[in-house]
Amino acid sequence: MNGFTYFIPTRVEFGRQSLEKLADLLIKGGHKQLLLHYGGESAKRSGLLDRVLKQVEKSGANYTALGGVNPNPKVELVREGVRLCKEKQIDFILAVGGGSVIDSAKAIALGAKMDRDIWDVFERKCSPDQAVPIGCVLTIAAAGSEMAGGMVVSNAEKGLKRDYGSECLRPVFCIEDPTLTYSVSRWQTACGIVDILMHTMERYFSPTRNTELTDEIAEGLMRAVIRAGRVVCENPEDYEARATLMWASSLSQNDLTGMGRQADWATHQLEHDLSGMYDNVSHGAGLAVLFPAWARYVMDDDPERFCQFANKVWGLSDNCADRNALALGGIQAAADYFAALGMPRTLKSFGVESDRLPEMAEKCSFSGTRTLGSVKKLSCEDMLAIYRMAYEG
Amino acid sequence: MNGFTYFIPTRVEFGRQSLEKLADLLIKGGHKQLLLHYGGESAKRSGLLDRVLKQVEKSGANYTALGGVNPNPKVELVREGVRLCKEKQIDFILAVGGGSVIDSAKAIALGAKMDRDIWDVFERKCSPDQAVPIGCVLTIAAAGSEMAGGMVVSNAEKGLKRDYGSECLRPVFCIEDPTLTYSVSRWQTACGIVDILMHTMERYFSPTRNTELTDEIAEGLMRAVIRAGRVVCENPEDYEARATLMWASSLSQNDLTGMGRQADWATHQLEHDLSGMYDNVSHGAGLAVLFPAWARYVMDDDPERFCQFANKVWGLSDNCADRNALALGGIQAAADYFAALGMPRTLKSFGVESDRLPEMAEKCSFSGTRTLGSVKKLSCEDMLAIYRMAYEG
C-alpha cells in the first residue's frame, strides 16, 4: 500500500427531501451572493429549479442565474460565469445538475479568483489553488464530481477536453435526493452507470500491490452498482437502486476506492480526446467502448489483476487453469454488461472516421509528449492501437 | 436505505514518514498554543514524543504537555486538561496516542469552551457543539476515534463510563504511520482488532433494509481486517497488515460502514458498564466476550442478517437449509476468531463477580430508564440476561 492523503470535507445530505436542508446550509455557510448554475430546460420543467429558488429565498441570499450547461461543458460558458462572478461579487456557486454542471461551476469558481484566462489552467500554464466555494444539488448519478476535486472542460475551438484538479474544488456540500434521478433517461442513466464503474476501475487497475482493504471496498462497490444498474433499467423509480447508484457515484470518485494505490486513468484520457473531437459522444458511452479495448491491450502486463476482476467483480470461477481465458472473460463480462445497458460496442457506431484516429492519438498524447496509464505506460502508438481496436470493437 | 448526513472533514496523512508532515499541518492551521496530550511512558521511551516535539518546534508553536492518559480515560485528567487550556489559552490540542488519548483530548477540547463541569455533558445535562480543534498522531489501530465525532470517558468515582458525540469533535487531521503500531503488544493489538470489527458490526446489525452498498463495504472491511489480524499476530512488523488495520480502524468508525442504516450499539453500551465497573477490563476484550452473548440473545429477531454475516464475512456456505445453524455458525466463527486472537470467552475470567451483574444491568439501563439496541430493544432484564450468558460464555 502506498502512502496517501485522504481529505474529503464535502458534507453530503442524502435522502428523500434532503433538498429541504438547502436554506440552512446556505445560512450556516454565510453565503449571500450566489451564482445559480444549471443545465438546460429539464431543471425548469421538472419544477426542481423552483424548489431550489424557494430555498435560496428562504436563506435570504441574492442570486444570479446562469443556465445552459451542456454535456461536455464548454469553456465559453465558463468565461461568462467568471465574468458574472467578478461583476456581481459572487461568494458562492450553487450547481444544480450533474457532472457537467458541477464541473462548469468548478471552472468558474477557479476562474473567478484568477487574473488570467481559465483555459490556461487546463493547458497547465498555471496551478491555482483558490476558488469560490461550491455547493451542489445533484440530479444525475454518474460523474461523482460532487465529492471530488477534479473537473473536465471542453474547448470546442481547439477540439480539446482537458482536466484539472485541486483540493479547493471539492464542493462544501452536496444534496443527494435519489428521487431527483427518477426522470433521468435510460440512456443517461446507463452512461452514468458506466462512469461510476469506470471511476473505480481506473483506480482498481494499478501497479501497486497489497491494497486489500481498498480492493474489497472497490469490488463491493462495483458489485452493488452492477446489480443496481440492472434494477434501474427495469424500473427507473426503484428508490433503493437509485439510492445505491447515487451514493456510489460519490464514493467512486471521491478517492475512497483508490486509497493507497497508483491509479491508471488511461481509459478516461483516451475518452476525453474522443469526445473532445466528437461532441456527440457521451462520456459514459465513450468509456464503455474504450475500456474493453484498453483492457485487452494491457492485460498481459497484469494478468492476475484481470483474473481477480473476473472473479470478484463478475463472479467468474477462480478455479480456471487457463488464466488468460479467465482474464479475458472478465473483460468480456464488463463489455457485455455495458452493451446490455444499451451502450455501443464500437467507435464506428458513433460516426467516428477511422482516418481521424491518428489525430486523436496525437492529441491524446499531447503530440507525443506524454504517456498515459500506469498498468502499462501507453505511447502515442499504443493509444492509436487501442483506438483502432475500439473502432471495430 | 435511510437518509443520512455524511460529513468527515478529517484530513488523514497516511504512510511511512507521514509524521514529517506534522509541522506543515500545524503551520497551515495557524495553531500557536498547543496542548500536547499523550499516554504513559511508551511514547517517551520509543522516541515518538521527541519526534513529535521536533515537528512542533519546527512549526514555531508553543506547547504545554499533559501526559498520563490511561486506558478508559478518566474525567479527573480531563478536568486538569480543561484547566490548562483555559489558563494557557490553548488553541489546538495535539493527541499522541490511541483512542483513550484522543477521547481524553476531545473531552478537554469540549470542556475548554464550557463554563460548567465536563461531566455534565456525559450525563446529558447539556449538549455543547463548540470545541478547541484537535489533531492526532495515531499509535494504535483500534478505536477509530481519529476520524469520529464521538468519545467515551470514565468517572471512577461513580463507576461510570459514558459517551458523547458532536460534529465539532472530529479531529481536523490525523497522522497515520503504520510503523508506529509495530510495538503495540499482541494483547493490545488483538483488543484493537476486536474493536475495529465491532465498530462495523454495531452498524451492520440493523433493522434497516436495502443497504446493499453499505453492506458490501462493511463486509469487505471485516474480511480484510480478519485476514490482516491473523497476519499481524504472526508477524507484528508486517507493514501491509498493520496498514490495513490502521486504515480500517478509521473507516470502521468514521460512519462509512453505517451510512443509511440505523445502528445497534448495544454491545458497546453493555461493555461500557462492564469496564466502567471493572477497570481491568480492556474495551476490546469486553466486546469480544459480550458480542457472542448479545448475538445469540437477539438473533431470532433478524435471522437472515446473521446468516448473511456467517456467509459473507466468515465464508460459511449459504447452501444451508438449517438457517438457525448457519446464523449460529457465524456467531461461533466470530467468537472463535476472537479467542484465537487471545481474547477471553467469559466475564468470569475478568474476575467479574456474578452477584454484581444486576448492578451492571441497572447502571447500563440508566436505572431502567433506557433501552439499548435496535435489532432488539433491550430492557434492563434483557441486559442482565446477556451479562449472565456472557458470564459463563
Side-chain angles (χ1 to χ4, degrees):
Chain A
M1 197 193 298
N2 295 341
F4 60 81
T5 297
Y6 182 89
F7 180 55
I8 308 174
T10 306
R11 175 189 295 273
V12 177
E13 294 291 353
F14 193 99
R16 296 175 204 270
Q17 308 302 328
S18 49
L19 184 56
E20 305 302 312
K21 297 181 180 174
L22 177 57
D24 268 359
L25 290 168
L26 294 172
I27 292 166
K28 279 188 188 143
H31 311 308
K32 294 289 179 200
Q33 294 290 341
L34 313 190
L35 182 73
L36 179 65
H37 201 38
Y38 59 96
E41 290 302 302
S42 70
K44 279 190 197 162
R45 252 184 292 118
S46 70
L48 173 61
L49 220 52
D50 281 341
R51 291 175 60 199
V52 169
L53 286 178
K54 264 190 199 145
Q55 290 288 314
V56 171
E57 275 159 33
K58 196 173 155 196
S59 81
N62 298 312
Y63 74 91
T64 303
L66 178 64
V69 184
N70 293 319
N72 298 329
K74 305 298 178 297
V75 71
E76 287 77 15
L77 190 69
V78 169
R79 290 188 182 116
E80 169 66 7
V82 169
R83 195 188 58 71
L84 283 172
C85 281
K86 290 179 176 175
E87 184 188 312
K88 309 271 184 179
Q89 298 188 292
I90 296 294
D91 64 15
F92 192 76
I93 303 178
L94 183 61
V96 179
S100 297
V101 175
I102 300 169
D103 281 10
S104 183
K106 287 178 178 177
I108 294 169
L110 210 57
K113 297 272 188 183
M114 288 166 60
D115 292 327
R116 47 201 295 181
D117 182 61
I118 182 67
W119 190 253
D120 287 357
V121 167
F122 298 97
E123 295 204 335
R124 303 285 187 270
K125 291 181 183 164
C126 56
S127 312
D129 61 357
Q130 300 268 313
V132 174
I134 302 163
C136 318
V137 177
L138 189 64
T139 60
I140 308 180
S145 185
E146 62 273 9
M147 281 184 100
M151 59 170 166
V152 182
V153 169
S154 291
N155 186 322
E157 200 186 316
K158 304 194 178 203
L160 293 176
K161 192 170 169 183
R162 291 285 176 262
D163 58 8
Y164 183 75
S166 167
E167 268 189 8
C168 69
L169 293 175
R170 285 198 203 261
V172 293
F173 67 74
C174 180
I175 288 172
E176 304 193 9
D177 176 350
T179 67
L180 296 181
T181 66
Y182 284 177
S183 58
V184 176
S185 71
R186 181 165 167 156
W187 169 257
Q188 277 191 304
T189 298
C191 288
I193 293 164
V194 177
D195 204 19
I196 296 168
L197 288 171
M198 279 305 309
H199 286 151
T200 287
M201 283 149 72
E202 296 281 16
R203 293 168 164 98
Y204 183 77
F205 293 102
S206 160
T208 314
R209 295 291 178 262
N210 298 307
T211 55
E212 250 195 285
L213 174 53
T214 300
D215 287 356
E216 285 277 16
I217 292 171
E219 288 157 358
L221 182 140
M222 289 190 274
R223 287 190 298 263
V225 169
I226 290 163
R227 289 189 297 259
R230 288 192 185 113
V231 173
V232 161
C233 285
E234 291 297 310
N235 177 12
E237 303 206 357
D238 185 296
Y239 179 84
E240 301 299 347
R242 287 286 192 187
T244 295
L245 294 179
M246 195 166 224
W247 185 221
S249 84
S250 298
L251 294 184
S252 192
Q253 179 69 331
N254 79 357
D255 284 354
L256 176 73
T257 63
M259 283 297 106
R261 286 202 223 97
Q262 187 182 356
D264 187 87
W265 290 115
T267 308
H268 261 73
Q269 300 292 351
L270 289 164
E271 197 294 309
H272 289 169
D273 286 284
L274 165 61
S275 56
M277 283 174 62
Y278 292 89
D279 202 40
N280 63 310
V281 176
S282 299
H283 176 56
L287 294 172
V289 172
L290 289 167
F291 170 74
W294 170 82
R296 290 180 189 120
Y297 191 79
V298 309
M299 60 171 264
D300 290 342
D301 285 71
D302 195 357
E304 274 310 305
R305 191 61 168 180
F306 282 91
C307 288
Q308 186 175 336
F309 178 67
N311 172 239
K312 295 288 180 69
V313 180
W314 298 101
L316 306 187
S317 168
D318 197 37
N319 285 331
C320 175
D322 185 347
R323 307 304 284 172
N324 194 56
L326 177 58
L328 280 170
I331 298 167
Q332 191 61 43
D336 291 345
Y337 179 77
F338 295 159
L341 292 176
M343 295 288 107
R345 287 187 188 262
T346 67
L347 289 188
K348 203 166 52 175
S349 61
F350 290 122
V352 169
E353 301 117 302
S354 65
D355 57 0
R356 292 194 71 192
L357 297 179
E359 180 190 347
M360 206 179 279
E362 179 76 6
K363 280 187 172 173
C364 193
S365 67
F366 290 10
S367 304
T369 62
R370 73 160 177 181
T371 59
L372 289 188
S374 64
V375 173
K376 179 185 177 77
K377 280 201 192 315
L378 305 176
S379 66
C380 185
E381 290 69 39
D382 295 320
M383 298 175 205
L384 181 56
I386 292 168
Y387 282 134
R388 288 206 162 118
M389 283 168 73
Y391 183 74
E392 297 277 2
Chain B
M1 197 194 298
N2 294 342
F4 60 80
T5 297
Y6 181 88
F7 181 55
I8 308 174
T10 306
R11 176 189 295 273
V12 176
E13 295 290 352
F14 193 98
R16 296 175 204 270
Q17 307 302 328
S18 48
L19 183 56
E20 305 303 313
K21 298 181 178 172
L22 176 58
D24 268 359
L25 290 168
L26 294 172
I27 292 167
K28 279 187 188 144
H31 311 306
K32 294 289 179 200
Q33 293 290 342
L34 313 189
L35 182 73
L36 179 64
H37 201 38
Y38 58 96
E41 291 301 304
S42 70
K44 278 191 198 164
R45 253 184 291 115
S46 69
L48 173 61
L49 219 53
D50 281 341
R51 291 176 61 198
V52 168
L53 285 177
K54 264 190 199 144
Q55 290 288 315
V56 171
E57 276 159 31
K58 197 174 154 193
S59 81
N62 299 311
Y63 74 91
T64 303
L66 178 63
V69 184
N70 293 321
N72 300 328
K74 305 297 177 295
V75 71
E76 288 77 14
L77 190 68
V78 169
R79 290 188 181 117
E80 169 67 6
V82 169
R83 195 189 58 71
L84 282 172
C85 281
K86 290 179 175 176
E87 184 188 313
K88 309 270 184 179
Q89 298 187 291
I90 295 295
D91 63 17
F92 192 76
I93 303 178
L94 183 61
V96 179
S100 297
V101 175
I102 300 169
D103 281 9
S104 183
K106 286 178 177 176
I108 293 169
L110 210 58
K113 298 272 188 184
M114 289 167 58
D115 292 327
R116 46 202 296 182
D117 182 61
I118 183 66
W119 189 253
D120 287 355
V121 167
F122 299 97
E123 295 203 337
R124 303 287 187 268
K125 291 182 184 167
C126 55
S127 311
D129 60 359
Q130 300 268 312
V132 175
I134 302 163
C136 319
V137 176
L138 189 64
T139 59
I140 307 179
S145 186
E146 61 274 10
M147 279 184 102
M151 59 170 168
V152 182
V153 169
S154 291
N155 187 321
E157 201 186 315
K158 304 193 178 201
L160 293 176
K161 191 171 170 183
R162 290 286 176 261
D163 59 9
Y164 183 73
S166 167
E167 268 190 6
C168 69
L169 293 176
R170 285 199 202 260
V172 294
F173 67 74
C174 179
I175 288 171
E176 305 194 9
D177 176 351
T179 67
L180 295 180
T181 65
Y182 285 176
S183 58
V184 176
S185 71
R186 181 165 167 155
W187 168 258
Q188 276 191 304
T189 297
C191 288
I193 293 165
V194 176
D195 203 18
I196 296 169
L197 287 171
M198 280 305 308
H199 287 152
T200 287
M201 284 150 70
E202 295 280 17
R203 294 168 163 100
Y204 184 76
F205 293 101
S206 161
T208 314
R209 294 293 176 259
N210 298 308
T211 54
E212 252 196 283
L213 174 53
T214 300
D215 287 356
E216 285 276 16
I217 292 171
E219 289 158 358
L221 182 141
M222 288 190 275
R223 288 189 297 263
V225 169
I226 290 163
R227 289 191 297 259
R230 289 193 184 112
V231 173
V232 160
C233 285
E234 291 298 309
N235 177 11
E237 303 206 357
D238 185 297
Y239 179 84
E240 300 300 345
R242 286 287 192 187
T244 295
L245 294 179
M246 195 166 224
W247 184 221
S249 84
S250 298
L251 294 184
S252 192
Q253 179 70 332
N254 79 356
D255 284 353
L256 176 74
T257 63
M259 283 300 105
R261 285 200 223 97
Q262 188 182 355
D264 187 87
W265 290 115
T267 308
H268 261 74
Q269 299 292 351
L270 290 163
E271 197 295 309
H272 289 168
D273 286 283
L274 165 61
S275 55
M277 283 173 62
Y278 292 89
D279 202 40
N280 63 310
V281 176
S282 299
H283 176 56
L287 294 172
V289 172
L290 289 166
F291 170 75
W294 169 83
R296 289 179 189 122
Y297 192 79
V298 309
M299 60 172 263
D300 289 342
D301 285 72
D302 194 358
E304 274 311 304
R305 191 62 169 180
F306 282 91
C307 288
Q308 186 176 337
F309 179 66
N311 172 238
K312 295 288 179 69
V313 179
W314 298 101
L316 305 188
S317 169
D318 198 37
N319 285 331
C320 176
D322 186 345
R323 308 303 286 173
N324 194 56
L326 177 58
L328 280 171
I331 298 166
Q332 191 60 43
D336 291 345
Y337 179 77
F338 296 159
L341 292 175
M343 295 289 106
R345 288 186 187 264
T346 68
L347 289 187
K348 203 166 52 175
S349 61
F350 292 120
V352 169
E353 302 116 303
S354 65
D355 58 0
R356 292 194 69 192
L357 296 179
E359 179 190 348
M360 206 178 280
E362 178 77 5
K363 281 188 172 173
C364 194
S365 67
F366 289 8
S367 304
T369 62
R370 73 160 177 182
T371 59
L372 289 188
S374 62
V375 173
K376 180 185 176 77
K377 282 203 190 311
L378 304 177
S379 66
C380 184
E381 289 69 38
D382 296 320
M383 299 176 206
L384 181 56
I386 293 169
Y387 282 134
R388 288 204 162 119
M389 283 168 74
Y391 183 75
E392 297 276 1

